[in-house]
Amino acid sequence: MRVGETREDRIAVLEGVRPGEKVVTEGQLKLQPDARVRIDANARLDAPAVRPKE
């Protein structure tokens, strides 16, 4: 994955994620190869608030 610009809590993902793939947004430091991942359907990622363009 290649990331780009970072602003506050948002990071641009430039390549490496295909449509429909899931991305870990919390607890990444504990990930290891072949680790089991629990998806919490109740903890949906909210859309970011609209921010003014700089």
Side-chain angles (χ1 to χ4, degrees), residues 1-5 12-16:
M1 177 182 344
R2 186 166 69 96
V3 296
E5 191 173 335
V13 177
L14 303 176
E15 61 184 40

Side-chain angles (χ1 to χ4, degrees), residues 9-10 45-51:
D9 60 344
R10 299 170 73 184
L45 185 61
D46 295 327
V50 176
R51 297 180 184 182

Side-chain angles (χ1 to χ4, degrees), residues 1-4 11-18 21-25 28 31:
M1 177 182 344
R2 186 166 69 96
V3 296
I11 301 171
V13 177
L14 303 176
E15 61 184 40
V17 180
R18 295 185 192 121
E21 287 186 320
K22 296 183 190 281
V23 176
V24 175
T25 59
Q28 304 90 315
L31 283 179

